[in-house]
């Protein structure tokens, strides 16, 4: 019986070539899109799942309930880790993690690598399998290092690295280290990554900060004993905070702290490491944060596209079922049972779906490389073999075929055989179902159009918003392991005669995100006239304001003519407001304990040194600690930007042959801060186009069916004198009404979704009314263009043939 049903299904597939081809194309495109989007969502949610102890791993953070609001930070003081381990038996393993980089030398080979400074428990907390060596002894010795397979190959080639001694240039001092273990290269879905692991005791200024609770320069991870409740553990940390952070608590209370529900102003808290990838509430988290909105949008878009294609499929099957009414009547007359007819329709539907799914998988494999390149994705089709995804795929397939196959057959079986054979079947109810499905389809398409327009408008707004500094003519160069002041002075000397170079300066922090993938900030807090002052602190060199084109409002810039400028600051407007002095020039700030106060010599215009997700905060520029310069900014003349960049790159390689050039324009750096938003915008645009195309394919097919059903009516109207335009308008207006209803339904949902998304930006657009009008116009024009083709064709048909058709 099944073989017979399959033969009949194949014959019907060939018989209805046009409609089945439309179904297959629509479903294939939807399946290809959904495979890529859903795999991306699965990949994002798979982050860090390979760690065996993941449910018990947490990152420590501090919460301060200040007068101006709640502040949370992940930076920790050095003595916190040993104190927690000594005082709380619930802590099974604990490790600090600090970041750095150094030049590693082996024989004649030199290579720059990033270094993670960790404690011995690090490899016990996290599951990073070792290719060679043992977890128990990997970091036992202070001068042992762990390297990845990639680094081992880069440094040692085919040699066995275990036991080999390398020279590491740490903070301008060469030290010998022994390779104790080689870790397997970590997977792409790992929040934590490293080239080299080294004991934390080698971290910069470790000995000086060993007992300082007010110097916070690293992050801390803990692995609690199995079964430990993190909430109750946090409550037991309250006495710990009061004991070790007395001074900080005293300062917060003095400044008018707002205690939490339990009466605490300063607490030590834990955040699950499993949530790091999506945690937007804390800064300083590894591997993120990725916006959960972004991933949810991918999931929603995939569901929308699949739903639109399924609506097409179901609508066409319902409509086509009524063209096969007599066939069903004849089959019932010849003795076919209900279940036989139901199974026959289901087999035909399943065959079309199976072909569409196959073509969809093939299409997704063809566009996967392009998708991965554009959206920086690491997905692969083998991920579909996961049990959960296989179950979801089979369930979706079965559900689609069940609805699209059984429902039309069930509608036909409800009518009496005599009526079906006479052709007097009433199609009012199926038409209502069809209209509901069409409205749903175009509502989703309109929703995606609105999302696309709002996202595009916000991206344009951010790109064109003045940031307060010159970002089109300034090149940012990470110094890596080079000595900041020395490297800057050498560059100044070598580039002094270059006609294209206007000015050079240095900074401890980059603007935006450079090619080194780093973006950091440094905050300083101190007491001034009885209240707490918090400011971002940036170490810079001479000509910083000049190079970046930042406007000076009061006072002067740093000058080589004033030796005292090494103990001076230039502040921005927000910092001046926070200080509360009418004329801040000449004011002394007690920034550092046991050091002379620092004088304010200038007030500069506010500029966006963070992304546009955040408001401009207080900022202070300082000349002190010039050895901490990490970046060089070079401003070139606008006449030949690309040529100037290439010449600078060539000169860099001549001056520093052993250090990679990672220079980039500041406008590139700032654009990198919005990579997820750009990816989301591109996905919205692509999905909106695909959704509209699939909707139009279905609408075209639906229009074809309607024209066939109304052939006699159109013929009669032409005989009675109706014009072609009148007939086209008559046929099209019903569909246009549905599109308008769909648009109205989509408006409030789209506004709510996009308004919530815009709240992620401190600087954002207002959603304008014209966006909704334009989206409706786009949907109507596309629908009208699709329907009009069939309507005009029907109107031009010979009425004699139309009336003689039956």
């Amino acid at each position: 019986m099944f073989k017979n049903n399959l033969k009949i299904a194949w014959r019907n597939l060939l018989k209805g070539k046009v409609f089945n081809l439309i179904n297959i194309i629509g479903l294939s495109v939807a399946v290809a899109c959904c495979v890529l989007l859903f795999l991306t969502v699965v990949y994002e949610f798979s982050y860090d799942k390979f760690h065996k102890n993941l449910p018990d791993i947490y990152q420590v953070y501090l919460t301060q309930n200040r007068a101006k609001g709640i502040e949370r930070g992940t930076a920790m003081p050095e003595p916190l880790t040993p104190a927690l381990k000594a005082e709380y038996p619930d802590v099974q393993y604990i490790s600090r993690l600090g970041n750095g980089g150094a030049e590693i030398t082996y024989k004649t080979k030199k290579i720059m690598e990033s270094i993670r400074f960790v404690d011995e428990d690090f490899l016990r907390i996290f599951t990073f399998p070792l290719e060679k060596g043992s977890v128990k002894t990997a970091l036992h010795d202070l001068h042992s290092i762990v390297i990845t397979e990639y680094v081992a190959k880069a440094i040692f080639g085919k040699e066995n690295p275990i036991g080999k001694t390398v020279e590491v240039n740490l903070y301008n001092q060469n030290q010998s280290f022994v390779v104790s273990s080689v870790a397997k290269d970590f997977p792409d879905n790992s929040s934590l990554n490293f080239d080299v692991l080294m004991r934390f005791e080698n971290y910069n200024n470790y000995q000086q900060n060993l007992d300082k609770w007010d110097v916070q320069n690293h992050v801390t991870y803990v692995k609690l004993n199995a079964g430990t409740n993190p909430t109750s553990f946090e409550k037991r940390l309250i006495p710990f905070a009061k004991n070790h952070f007395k001074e900080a608590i005293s300062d917060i209370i003095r400044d008018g702290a707002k205690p939490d529900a339990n009466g605490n102003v300063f607490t030590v808290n834990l955040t699950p490491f499993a949530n790091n990838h999506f945690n937007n509430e804390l800064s300083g988290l590894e591997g993120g944060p990725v916006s959960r909105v972004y991933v949810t949008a991918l999931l929603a878009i995939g569901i929308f596209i699949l739903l639109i294609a399924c609506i097409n499929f179901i609508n066409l099957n319902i409509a086509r079922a009524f063209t096969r009414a007599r066939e069903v009547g004849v089959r019932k007359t010849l003795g076919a049972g209900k279940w036989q007819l139901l199974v026959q329709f289901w087999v035909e539907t399943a065959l079309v779906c199976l072909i569409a799914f196959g073509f969809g998988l093939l299409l997704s494999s063809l566009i996967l490389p392009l998708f991965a390149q554009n959206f920086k994705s690491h997905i692969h089709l083998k991920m579909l073999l996961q049990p959960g995804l296989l179950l979801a795929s089979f369930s979706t397939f079965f559900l689609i075929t069940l609805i699209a196959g059984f429902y039309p057959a069930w509608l036909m079986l409800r009518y009496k055989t005599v009526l079906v054979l006479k052709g007097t079947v009433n199609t009012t109810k199926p038409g209502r179902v069809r209209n509901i499905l069409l409205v749903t389809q175009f509502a989703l398409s309109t929703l995606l159009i609105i999302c696309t327009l709002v996202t595009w408008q916000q991206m344009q707004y951010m790109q064109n918003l003045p940031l307060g500094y010159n970002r089109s003519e300034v090149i940012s160069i990470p110094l890596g392991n080079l000595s900041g002041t020395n490297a800057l002075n050498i560059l100044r000397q070598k580039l002094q005669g270059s006609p294209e170079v206007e000015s050079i300066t240095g900074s401890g922090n980059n603007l935006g995100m450079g090619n080194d993938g780093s973006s950091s900030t440094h905050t300083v807090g101190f007491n001034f006239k009885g209240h707490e002052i918090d400011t971002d602190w940036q170490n810079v060199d001479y000509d910083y304001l000049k190079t970046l084109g930042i406007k000076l409002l009061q006072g002067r810039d740093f000058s080589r003519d004033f030796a005292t400028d090494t103990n001076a600051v230039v502040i921005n407007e927000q910092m001046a407001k926070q200080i509360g002095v009418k004329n801040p020039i000449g004011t002394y700030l007690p920034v550092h304990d046991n050091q002379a106060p620092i004088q304010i010599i200038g007030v500069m215009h506010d500029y966006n040194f963070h992304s546009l997700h955040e408001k401009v905060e207080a900022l202070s520029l300082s000349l002190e600690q010039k050895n901490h310069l990490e970046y060089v900014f070079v401003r070139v003349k606008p006449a030949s930007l690309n040529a100037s960049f290439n010449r600078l790159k060539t000169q860099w390689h001549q001056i520093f042959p052993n250090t990679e050039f990672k220079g980039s324009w500041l406008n590139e750096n700032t654009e990198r801060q919005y990579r997820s938003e750009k990816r989301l915008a591109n996905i919205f645009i692509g999905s909106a186009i695909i959704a509209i195309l699939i909707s139009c394919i279905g609408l075209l097919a639906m229009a074809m069916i309607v024209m066939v059903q109304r052939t006699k009516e159109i013929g009669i109207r032409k005989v009675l004198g109706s014009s072609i335009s009148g007939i086209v308008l008559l046929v099209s207006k019903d569909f246009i009404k549905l599109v308008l209803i769909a648009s109205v339904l989509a408006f409030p949902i789209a506004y709510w979704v996009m308004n919530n998304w815009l709240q992620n930006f401190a600087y954002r657009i207002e959603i304008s009314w014209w966006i909704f009008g334009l989206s409706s116009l786009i949907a109507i024009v596309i629908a009208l263009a699709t329907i009009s083709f069939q309507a005009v064709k029907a109107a031009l048909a010979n009425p004699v043939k139309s009336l003689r058709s039956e």
Side-chain angles (χ1 to χ4, degrees), residues 354-411:
L354 194 62
I355 294 171
F357 269 61
F359 277 116
L361 289 174
L362 178 62
L363 183 60
S364 64
S365 66
L366 294 175
I367 61 178
L368 178 59
L370 184 63
F371 179 88
Q373 180 182 353
N374 287 338
F375 299 111
K376 309 300 180 187
S377 179
H378 299 279
I379 62 172
H380 48 82
L381 292 184
K382 289 181 181 178
M383 293 169 63
L384 287 171
L385 300 178
Q386 297 176 22
L389 288 179
L390 282 175
L391 180 62
S393 301
F394 284 125
S395 300
T396 303
F397 178 86
F398 182 74
L399 185 63
I400 293 171
T401 56
L402 191 68
I403 296 173
F406 279 7
Y407 182 65
W410 176 74
L411 285 175

Side-chain angles (χ1 to χ4, degrees), residues 31 65 100 177 252 255 257 259 267 295 328 335 353 449 499 544 552 557 562 567 586 649 696 746 750 778:
V31 167
N65 293 273
F177 289 86
I252 295 172
D255 293 333
T267 55
V295 179
V328 173
C353 277
I449 292 172
Y544 184 82
L552 190 66
D557 193 2
F562 295 88
N567 195 47
K649 184 177 180 179
C696 288
I778 291 172

Side-chain angles (χ1 to χ4, degrees), residues 490-711:
I490 292 171
L491 276 174
R492 273 205 179 103
Q493 184 181 358
K494 296 291 184 181
L495 300 178
Q496 194 171 13
S498 299
E500 70 272 9
V501 175
E502 288 196 348
S503 61
I504 303 174
T505 190
S507 172
N509 304 96
N510 205 353
L511 288 170
M513 183 174 289
N515 283 332
D516 60 344
S518 177
S519 179
S520 62
T521 57
H522 177 56
T523 305
V524 169
F526 58 92
N527 296 317
F528 178 75
K529 293 186 177 180
H531 66 278
E532 183 75 10
I533 299 292
D534 291 301
T535 174
D536 277 84
W537 194 269
Q538 192 167 336
N539 297 315
V540 300
D541 200 76
Y542 297 106
D543 302 325
Y544 184 82
L545 299 185
K546 174 186 174 184
T547 302
L548 292 175
I550 298 170
K551 186 179 179 182
L552 190 66
L553 301 178
Q554 288 179 264
R556 61 177 178 82
D557 193 2
F558 298 114
S559 172
R560 295 175 180 84
D561 297 331
F562 295 88
T564 55
D565 278 3
T566 55
N567 195 47
V569 289
V570 175
I571 63 174
N572 69 351
E573 295 171 272
Q574 294 300 319
M575 178 63 173
K577 289 177 183 177
Q578 191 177 171
I579 291 171
V581 178
K582 188 174 182 181
N583 183 12
I585 303 301
T587 302
Y588 285 87
L589 304 176
V591 178
H592 304 298
D593 294 336
N594 304 320
Q595 291 186 23
I598 298 177
Q599 185 184 27
I600 299 174
I601 61 170
V603 178
M604 60 185 169
H605 193 278
D606 283 341
Y607 69 94
N608 293 90
F609 54 95
H610 291 314
S611 76
L612 294 176
H613 292 94
E614 304 172 38
K615 289 280 188 182
V616 176
E617 299 290 347
L619 175 65
S620 302
L621 305 181
S622 169
L623 277 180
E624 67 170 354
Q625 299 179 338
K626 289 195 293 181
N627 284 329
H628 288 182
L629 299 179
E630 302 287 345
Y631 298 90
V632 168
F633 296 144
V634 181
R635 182 172 179 175
V636 297
K637 293 180 179 178
S640 54
L641 296 177
N642 289 332
S644 298
F645 185 90
N646 292 330
R647 276 195 293 270
L648 180 60
K649 184 177 180 179
T650 302
Q651 290 170 311
W652 175 275
H653 287 308
Q654 293 171 355
I655 301 169
F656 307 112
N658 295 323
T659 303
E660 183 182 358
F661 179 80
K662 294 185 178 180
S664 57
W665 297 101
L666 284 185
N667 53 11
E668 295 174 343
N669 289 4
T670 54
E671 287 175 9
R672 285 191 191 95
Q673 294 175 310
Y674 315 111
R675 286 180 295 189
S676 62
E677 285 79 9
K678 284 189 175 180
R679 286 199 296 266
L680 184 61
N682 291 335
I683 289 172
F684 270 137
I685 293 169
S687 59
I689 292 171
I690 292 168
I692 290 167
L693 285 176
I694 294 174
S695 298
C696 288
I697 289 172
L699 192 61
L700 178 63
M702 192 60 62
M704 291 168 65
I705 292 173
V706 169
M707 299 310 158
V708 170
Q709 292 175 342
R710 300 179 69 175
T711 300

